[in-house]
Amino acid sequence: MKNYKALFLLFIISFNTISCFEDNDDVAVSANEINDFVWKGMNFIYLYKDDVPDLANDRFSSDSEYASYLNDFSTPSDLFESLRFEPQTVDRFSRIFEDYIALEQSFQGNSNTNGMEFSVFLAPNSTTEGIGIIRLVLPNSPADNMGLKRGDIFYGIDGNRLTNDNLNQLLNQDSYTLNLGFYNDKGTLETDDDSIDPLNEDVTLNKVLYSENPVFKTEIINVGGENVGYLMYNGFIADSENELNDVFGEFKSNNIQQLVLDLRYNPGGRISVETSLASMITGQYSGELFQKLIYNSTLQSNNTDFNFSSKLDNGSTINSLGLSKLYVLTSQRSASASEGLINGLAPYIQVIQIGVNTTGKTQASRIVYDSSPPNFLREGANPKHRYAMLPLIANGVNKNDVAVPSSGLPPSIGFEYDENPLNYGILGDVNEPMLAIALADIANSSGKISDIKAKSEKPLKMLIDSNDLISFEGGMIVD
C-alpha cells in the first residue's frame, strides 16, 4: 500500500485543558487533545469528508475558532459521532474506541469469548420472554468443552428467564450459567400451544482470550461421481492465508470440480486475504483487476488496485482451482470482505449465492491512531491515551466499478433460503439445508431444492444477536 500524502490542512493549536480523560495507565490527557486528533484524523482520511461541512478544509478561519469548536464536545465520542455522514443509512460502520488494544487483537483473530454465537428470539406464544439458540460453537472453546452444540436452546441465564428487559444485562457478563431447554410442539402441527420447556440441565461458561482459526471446516463430497469441495471460512485473517492455500492444495490434489464456499458467518477482514482467496478459486485471471479502492477527493493518489495473483505475499505459489462457477452460502452476517469477494468475482465467473441478502458494506476501514500526521500510524501513538478510530476510508468496487449496495447482495434467483433456527443442521453435513441446496443444484435436482425450502418455515422473531454485543466484528480492512 502507498503511504498517505501530507495532510492538506494542519492546525497548530494551543489551548487550555477543559476536562480530563484517563487512559489505562491513569495519565491525564485533555479532552481537547483527543478531540484535536479526532477532527484532524477525520479531516484527512474519512471517505465522506466532502459530505460533512464541519470537515471542510476551510471550516475554521482561525485557531481560536477551531479551539472553540472542539470545546463544544465533552467527549471524543460525541465529536466523532457528529462527523459521521448519515449514520443510519450511509455510514453505519465507522467507530471510535477508547482502548485500541482489544481492536488490534480482533484483527488477529483474538477475542474474549466463551466460544458460542447465537441469536435470541421471541419465545413461542409469548410477547415478553426470549430464547437463545446457538448457531456456531468454536472448537476447543469453553462452549465446546462443555458439550454445547449448534441448535442447542437456552431459555434463561443464572436462573432468570430471558426477557426483553434483561437481555443485555444477562448476556454481557464475562461468566454466566445457561439454563438449557427444548422446543415442545406437543406433538401437533398447530403452534398455538408450542413452548420452550426446561431440560433441567445447566452449563456454566467463562469468557477467555481465544485465538480463532477462521478455517472452520472443510469436506470433500462426491456428487454423481464429481468431487465437490466444501469450505466454511469465518474471517479474512492475515495469518490464515497459508492454511487456506493448504486447503486448496488438498482440493486440487483431489480434483475438485465444484466448490461450496460457506461465508454465512464471515464478517470480513483483510482485503489482501480476500484477493488471495479469489486467486485460489480461479487462477486463470492472474494479473487482471479483481477489486479497487477509491479514497476521498484529497487522497485520490491513494486509490489502489488489487489484482488476481499466482503468488502469496510470502512468495508461495497459490494453489488455484481454475473454477468458472462458485457456490457461496450467505446470511445477513456475511459482510464486507465476504461481499467484496462475491462482487469482485462476479464479472469473471458464475457465482451462485444461496441464502439471504448480505450486510451491505462495500467500504474499507483502517485503524487511525493519535500519532503524527499525515500517517496516523501505530508507531508514535500518543502514550497518554488509547483512543483510536476505525473510520470508513475507501469504497471498494469491482472491475466494472460496481459496488455492493447498502441493502446487501441478494441471493441468486431460486436460491433464497433463510436459516431455520429450529432446523440448523450440522455444518458440513450433506443434509445441512444450505449445503444440501448447493449439492442438489450440482446434482440437477430442482425437486430436492423445493423440498428443502418448503421445510424452512417455522419463523421466530429475533430480538438480539450475539454479534450485536461486540463493539467491532469484521469489516473490510486495509493492511
Side-chain angles (χ1 to χ4, degrees):
M1 295 292 293
K2 303 172 185 176
N3 289 330
Y4 294 113
K5 304 301 179 185
L7 182 58
F8 181 78
L9 183 64
L10 284 177
F11 290 92
I12 307 302
I13 305 293
S14 175
F15 41 72
N16 295 325
T17 295
I18 303 302
S19 60
C20 287
F21 289 82
E22 293 185 351
D23 73 355
N24 293 341
D25 297 318
D26 295 328
V27 178
V29 58
S30 69
N32 273 359
E33 186 175 348
I34 305 175
N35 286 353
D36 180 48
F37 148 63
V38 170
W39 190 89
K40 286 178 179 175
M42 292 290 277
N43 165 263
F44 172 62
I45 204 169
Y46 187 43
L47 174 61
Y48 300 108
K49 165 188 172 177
D50 293 340
D51 299 301
V52 181
D54 279 340
L55 287 176
N57 291 338
D58 59 356
R59 168 65 174 83
F60 306 104
S61 59
S62 66
D63 290 354
S64 60
E65 183 184 358
Y66 176 58
S68 176
Y69 167 79
L70 296 184
N71 288 343
D72 287 339
F73 298 92
S74 58
T75 70
S77 296
D78 289 341
L79 172 58
F80 180 84
E81 291 302 322
S82 76
L83 298 175
R84 288 172 61 199
F85 177 60
E86 296 187 9
Q88 300 303 316
T89 54
V90 179
D91 180 5
R92 297 177 287 149
F93 304 103
S94 291
R95 297 287 184 269
I96 187 170
F97 298 85
E98 294 184 26
D99 188 343
Y100 52 69
I101 301 299
L103 179 62
E104 292 171 339
Q105 289 177 338
S106 73
F107 285 166
Q108 297 164 2
N110 302 322
S111 61
N112 283 309
T113 180
N114 54 32
M116 67 172 185
E117 292 186 12
F118 59 88
S119 294
V120 177
F121 302 90
L122 199 61
N125 300 305
S126 174
T127 58
T128 58
E129 292 186 349
I131 58 167
I133 304 181
I134 300 172
R135 66 169 176 268
L136 186 70
V137 176
L138 300 176
N140 301 314
S141 66
D144 185 35
N145 294 334
M146 293 301 294
L148 292 173
K149 60 187 183 300
R150 176 174 161 89
D152 280 349
I153 296 173
F154 57 96
Y155 64 88
I157 289 179
D158 298 331
N160 301 295
R161 284 264 181 178
L162 298 174
T163 69
N164 292 326
D165 299 326
N166 65 16
L167 287 177
N168 281 288
Q169 176 187 351
L170 294 177
L171 294 171
N172 268 313
Q173 303 176 95
D174 287 337
S175 178
Y176 50 69
T177 297
L178 297 181
N179 310 124
L180 301 183
F182 69 99
Y183 195 102
N184 189 348
D185 62 8
K186 306 299 191 297
T188 67
L189 295 177
E190 291 76 21
T191 60
D192 56 4
D193 60 348
D194 290 0
S195 63
I196 302 298
D197 295 346
L199 269 176
N200 297 319
E201 182 180 346
D202 301 326
V203 175
T204 299
L205 297 174
N206 298 298
K207 290 184 179 179
V208 298
L209 184 62
Y210 180 86
S211 182
E212 180 178 357
N213 182 352
V215 181
F216 184 82
K217 186 128 189 175
T218 65
E219 298 285 351
I220 297 175
I221 304 163
N222 189 275
V223 178
E226 203 173 49
N227 279 345
V228 178
Y230 168 81
L231 166 63
M232 185 170 209
Y233 187 55
N234 290 340
F236 291 81
I237 297 171
D239 290 344
S240 66
E241 260 188 331
N242 289 327
E243 185 173 355
L244 267 181
N245 202 34
D246 289 342
V247 168
F248 275 79
E250 183 181 0
F251 285 164
K252 192 171 184 177
S253 65
N254 281 275
N255 193 28
I256 291 299
Q257 296 159 288
Q258 303 277 2
L259 178 65
V260 181
L261 179 61
D262 195 338
L263 300 178
R264 73 183 92 173
Y265 307 140
N266 189 319
R270 297 195 179 276
I271 302 172
S272 57
V273 181
E274 173 196 335
T275 306
S276 294
L277 179 55
S279 301
M280 294 174 197
I281 293 166
T282 56
Q284 63 271 44
Y285 305 108
S286 184
E288 296 190 43
L289 179 64
F290 166 65
Q291 184 174 196
K292 51 188 172 181
L293 291 182
I294 311 298
Y295 287 77
N296 68 32
S297 61
T298 55
L299 289 177
Q300 286 294 291
S301 61
N302 278 21
N303 292 350
T304 307
D305 291 349
F306 292 83
N307 296 331
F308 292 99
S309 176
S310 60
K311 300 283 186 181
L312 296 178
D313 286 342
N314 63 11
S316 299
T317 299
I318 287 178
N319 294 312
S320 299
L321 298 183
L323 297 178
S324 59
K325 180 167 70 172
L326 173 69
Y327 292 87
V328 183
L329 311 184
T330 65
S331 75
Q332 292 174 327
R333 289 170 292 280
S334 306
S336 210
S338 290
E339 298 171 296
L341 181 80
I342 298 169
N343 190 50
L345 285 174
Y348 292 96
I349 67 174
Q350 181 185 9
V351 180
I352 298 177
Q353 182 182 333
I354 300 169
V356 298
N357 277 43
T358 57
T359 299
K361 182 180 185 294
T362 187
Q363 310 96 330
S365 304
R366 199 208 84 181
I367 302 180
V368 177
Y369 298 91
D370 185 6
S371 62
S372 299
N375 294 323
F376 296 98
L377 299 176
R378 177 69 154 84
E379 184 179 359
N382 189 337
K384 293 188 288 185
H385 71 87
R386 288 183 181 168
Y387 270 90
M389 299 183 292
L390 193 73
L392 299 180
I393 66 169
N395 208 14
V397 297
N398 66 19
K399 79 163 191 173
N400 296 329
D401 294 322
V402 174
V404 174
S406 60
S407 57
L409 295 170
S412 302
I413 296 173
F415 291 90
E416 304 87 352
Y417 183 86
D418 197 358
E419 283 193 294
N420 179 358
L422 299 175
N423 182 34
Y424 271 142
I426 300 170
L427 293 170
D429 186 274
V430 295
N431 295 311
E432 187 275 311
M434 291 184 72
L435 174 56
I437 289 174
L439 299 179
D441 188 69
I442 292 170
N444 295 313
S445 179
S446 58
K448 186 172 182 179
I449 294 176
S450 298
D451 290 343
I452 295 168
K453 293 172 70 173
K455 295 176 183 176
S456 68
E457 297 298 327
K458 193 136 190 179
L460 293 171
K461 180 182 178 182
M462 192 171 77
L463 299 176
I464 194 171
D465 187 83
S466 58
N467 284 348
D468 298 333
L469 306 171
I470 303 172
S471 58
F472 172 75
E473 179 70 19
M476 190 157 68
I477 307 303
V478 176
D479 294 302

